[in-house]
Amino acid sequence: MNKSTGKISRMMVCVIATLMLIAAPLHAAKKSEHPDTPEPELRYKGAPVPIDADQAKESISPKAPKLTPAEFKRAKSLYFERCAGCHGVLRKGATGKPLTPDVTLKKGTDYLKVFIDFGSPAGMPNWGTSGVFSKDDIDIMARFLQHEAPVPPEYGMKEIKASWKVIVPVNKRPRKQMNKYNLKNLFSVTLRDTGQVALIDGDTKKIITIVDTGYAVHISRMSTSGRYLYVIGRDAKINLIDLWMKKPDNVAKIKIGMEARSVETSKYKGYEDKYAIGGAYWPPQFVIMDGDTLKPRKIVATRGMTVDTQEYHPEPRVAAIVASHEHPEFIINVKETGKVMMADYSDLDNLKVTTINAARYLHDGGWDSTKRYFMSAANKSNKIAVIDSKEDRLVKLVEVGKIPHPGRGANFKDPKYGPVWATSHLGDASISLIGTDPKRHKKNAWKVVRTLEGQGGGSLFIKTHPKSTHLYVDTPLNPDAGKSQSIAVFDLKNLDKPYKVLPIAEWAKLGEGPKRVVQPEYNVKGDEVWFSVWSGTKEESAIVIVDDKTLKLKKVIKDKRLLTPTGKFNVYNTMHDVY
């Protein structure tokens, strides 16, 4: 497979914001093959890794079955596109089990072929019976897994600096806003498979411009001032977009590794807009940069010991990053070790990092309503880690449902239990409400005070707003099209009432396609909710806007440029951590 073919293959594999197959979806596995693993979890597996397989150094093992050079090349491409997201680039294990030769040689080729073909109840997708892998592919992969894992190159300061480019110098940028847009109500919308973001005017509902970015933008974040928009692609490219320009566009860009997910900016008083940080999956590290130019300043590796078995892990990937409001610190989730790193950016030459033991595998999360406590999902431990950003310590690990995936979560007041933060789940239909007020509601603090039942498993995002009386829960990974194409809405004034279902995809009036509905996002006033209706690159997608007061359709945004829309980030809400 040449580079162009590999790129096309990755473009064809669509995964929901964080990681699902669309263009080549997993077919529904027979229940007998996966009795303990719900299909939403299976759909979450197999995210393609945006690492060029040709760059990974091959290591032939004498005791392993032979592979021709062509077979080895094919196997590397298959592994990075289908397996590395779960088992890790180095095959040391992540959410999936280790696939290193000390394990695989003992199993043998025949066993591995059956395993790859049919999958397992523990969550291994059935790559063969689903039609994704051919018989030849299965045979090649079974032999490949018995060799040492090909290792991608490191990516240090030399490579990072070589990728860094200031397109518009700071002294040549506008000194004031040069356009008439209401920037507080602007939306940055990920166009996942085009390597772009659409900037949409929240007032007029029209696309302002399309900006070229990295592949499969994962998140958008705002500088504290609201002027700069930072986006990071899964290929580890960070783009800095100046919203003050007459036509907002890139003013700087950089690549911090070969695969990544997270970007954030400094928010502590006196450091507003001063620094940005990007977290990489490969190499496992984070990079601190100047906020206005992306000039790289500091690289910190995250390799180290796990929190439970205290064994060395060579590939602990950086997941969510948030900026502390209590100290000049970035709070960094390290997925495979289960540790939270508090990096003090007040003195980069003498960087101080406080390490907090939480649980594996740390993924996404967000602030409670006071912005003191970071609520972080350890998705395969079925826990939420509560981190006190003022005292830099773990408060508690809270048991929740199966595979929590909150996005940033949702803050509101429960009529009975007071302030809560909520998460939905990938692995079951539950929605866990955790008490977050240790002062006025001490007996309810840091425990699940209420569990709601949603439409089903496969949820990726949950959202509300301080001015709203509704809670929206998506289910884009649910195998039932009726559920993946709709939204469940709860009445926050009466949580005992059944949820309402809004047929978002039906309202969009699109043609063929998956039409999965993902990620609710409010406008600045908190009276509209925007949803992505996401189909494939050759199918029509849309943004559907709902009136939050009436729960009626308000607007459908359609445009031929609006391809594979996923994440949406309102400027004001993102600036102020409103969720």
Side-chain angles (χ1 to χ4, degrees):
M1 182 181 289
N2 58 35
K3 291 185 178 181
S4 62
T5 304
K7 185 176 182 180
I8 292 170
S9 297
R10 288 193 292 272
M11 292 293 285
M12 291 178 65
V13 182
C14 302
V15 283
I16 293 268
T18 79
L19 317 170
M20 64 171 273
L21 299 171
I22 274 192
L26 295 180
H27 294 202
K30 295 179 181 179
K31 291 183 179 180
S32 61
E33 294 169 0
H34 300 281
D36 300 320
T37 307
E39 189 174 343
E41 184 178 350
L42 291 178
R43 287 175 179 266
Y44 189 66
K45 309 285 185 179
V49 168
I51 294 175
D52 188 343
D54 289 338
Q55 292 182 299
K57 184 179 179 181
E58 298 175 5
S59 180
I60 304 297
S61 302
K63 295 181 181 180
K66 291 183 178 180
L67 281 169
T68 67
E71 289 175 332
F72 211 110
K73 187 173 183 178
R74 172 64 175 163
K76 284 195 299 181
S77 295
L78 287 173
Y79 184 81
F80 285 138
E81 291 180 8
R82 304 293 190 180
C83 313
C86 193
H87 296 280
V89 170
L90 301 180
R91 306 210 309 255
K92 297 288 186 178
T95 51
K97 294 182 179 181
L99 293 174
T100 46
D102 59 314
V103 175
T104 55
L105 278 170
K106 295 175 183 177
K107 299 294 185 183
T109 302
D110 290 340
Y111 173 92
L112 293 170
K113 286 170 67 174
V114 173
F115 189 70
I116 296 166
D117 196 357
F118 292 95
S120 78
M124 172 73 175
N126 53 323
W127 295 113
T129 57
S130 67
V132 177
F133 281 6
S134 69
K135 292 296 182 183
D136 286 343
D137 286 338
I138 292 170
D139 179 63
I140 289 171
M141 285 298 293
R143 287 180 282 137
F144 167 78
L145 293 177
Q146 297 173 71
H147 290 265
E148 292 291 340
V151 181
E154 296 293 324
Y155 206 88
M157 186 59 80
K158 178 183 177 181
E159 291 79 13
I160 291 173
K161 280 189 173 180
S163 75
W164 172 53
K165 183 177 181 180
V166 177
I167 301 166
V168 182
V170 174
N171 61 4
K172 292 187 177 181
R173 298 176 194 170
R175 296 186 179 181
K176 62 180 181 179
Q177 185 178 336
M178 301 302 290
N179 57 62
K180 296 183 180 180
Y181 301 117
N182 176 12
L183 295 182
K184 290 182 179 181
N185 202 31
L186 182 144
F187 287 77
S188 174
V189 180
T190 297
L191 305 181
R192 188 194 180 281
D193 293 317
T194 66
Q196 297 172 318
V197 294
L199 302 183
I200 301 181
D201 186 332
D203 294 346
T204 66
K205 315 297 190 290
K206 294 181 179 179
I207 295 176
I208 295 170
T209 187
I210 304 290
V211 182
D212 291 333
T213 61
Y215 170 72
V217 165
H218 195 66
I219 58 172
S220 297
R221 290 290 181 262
M222 295 302 307
S223 65
T224 311
S225 66
R227 173 179 183 170
Y228 291 118
L229 172 68
Y230 302 78
V231 298
I232 188 165
R234 292 187 56 207
D235 54 4
K237 293 179 181 177
I238 299 176
N239 291 74
L240 177 61
I241 300 169
D242 188 352
L243 300 181
W244 280 12
M245 297 171 69
K246 187 174 182 180
K247 181 181 178 182
D249 205 347
N250 289 308
V251 292
K253 58 184 180 180
I254 197 169
K255 183 175 170 65
I256 62 160
M258 302 180 75
E259 185 185 8
R261 295 294 187 280
S262 302
V263 68
E264 180 62 292
T265 63
S266 53
K267 294 184 178 180
Y268 189 68
K269 187 175 181 180
Y271 292 89
E272 298 93 337
D273 292 14
K274 186 173 178 62
Y275 294 119
I277 182 174
Y281 268 29
W282 185 269
Q285 62 192 27
F286 60 85
V287 181
I288 298 176
M289 302 154 280
D290 286 343
D292 56 357
T293 65
L294 300 182
K295 181 179 180 179
R297 293 291 186 182
K298 193 81 171 181
I299 305 174
V300 179
T302 55
R303 294 177 170 107
M305 315 309 283
T306 61
V307 295
D308 40 19
T309 58
Q310 296 194 49
E311 59 185 309
Y312 179 73
H313 201 295
E315 195 187 343
R317 300 173 287 184
V318 176
I321 303 175
V322 296
S324 174
H325 299 271
E326 300 284 351
H327 304 288
E329 290 180 335
F330 290 120
I331 304 175
I332 302 144
N333 273 353
V334 184
K335 185 186 287 274
E336 277 71 28
T337 58
K339 294 179 179 180
V340 179
M341 301 175 73
M342 321 285 277
D344 184 338
Y345 52 73
S346 63
D347 183 356
L348 295 185
D349 289 331
N350 301 284
L351 186 72
K352 295 179 181 178
V353 178
T354 300
T355 302
I356 299 172
N357 286 351
R360 298 199 285 176
Y361 295 91
L362 293 172
H363 192 59
D364 53 356
W367 294 108
D368 80 306
S369 59
T370 68
K371 298 179 178 64
R372 172 175 173 173
Y373 299 97
F374 177 46
M375 314 291 287
S376 179
N379 56 21
K380 290 301 288 186
S381 295
N382 302 328
K383 292 179 174 66
I384 297 294
V386 182
I387 305 296
D388 185 343
S389 68
K390 185 174 184 178
E391 297 182 2
D392 283 9
R393 68 182 181 90
L394 174 70
V395 177
K396 193 172 182 181
L397 291 173
V398 183
E399 294 279 351
V400 291
K402 187 174 182 181
I403 315 180
H405 196 291
R408 306 199 86 180
N411 288 297
F412 55 93
K413 287 186 178 180
D414 184 288
K416 183 177 180 181
Y417 301 105
V420 297
W421 178 90
T423 181
S424 52
H425 300 86
L426 266 165
D428 62 37
S430 69
I431 298 148
S432 299
L433 278 55
I434 300 172
T436 59
D437 184 2
K439 293 183 178 180
R440 296 181 180 84
H441 299 81
K442 188 175 181 179
K443 67 177 182 179
N444 299 329
W446 319 130
K447 64 178 68 172
V448 175
V449 295
R450 190 194 295 265
T451 301
L452 306 176
E453 191 77 5
Q455 288 200 87
S459 176
L460 289 177
F461 298 99
I462 184 171
K463 189 63 69 80
T464 189
H465 188 279
K467 295 180 181 179
S468 175
T469 60
H470 293 121
L471 176 69
Y472 298 84
V473 184
D474 70 13
T475 44
L477 298 192
N478 197 284
D480 184 329
K483 295 175 181 178
S484 66
Q485 296 179 6
S486 62
I487 286 288
V489 187
F490 291 86
D491 183 352
L492 295 181
K493 294 180 293 184
N494 187 353
L495 290 169
D496 292 324
K497 288 174 56 177
Y499 58 80
K500 293 183 179 179
V501 177
L502 304 186
I504 302 296
E506 180 182 322
W507 287 347
K509 295 183 178 179
L510 302 173
E512 294 296 319
K515 294 175 286 192
R516 290 185 171 94
V517 175
V518 64
Q519 203 203 37
E521 175 72 339
Y522 282 82
N523 65 342
V524 66
K525 293 181 180 179
D527 60 5
E528 292 177 356
V529 190
W530 293 37
F531 300 92
S532 294
V533 184
W534 183 23
S535 286
T537 55
K538 296 182 180 180
E539 298 153 333
E540 189 178 27
S541 295
I543 301 292
V544 172
I545 302 171
V546 172
D547 186 311
D548 180 62
K549 304 299 180 185
T550 65
L551 301 183
K552 302 294 185 183
L553 174 64
K554 188 170 185 178
K555 176 76 174 180
V556 177
I557 302 175
K558 293 183 181 180
D559 191 292
K560 63 181 181 180
R561 299 169 292 172
L562 204 61
L563 294 173
T564 61
T566 52
K568 299 163 300 304
F569 303 87
N570 175 269
V571 165
Y572 182 88
N573 293 338
T574 304
M575 281 172 60
H576 297 280
D577 294 317
V578 177
Y579 40 82

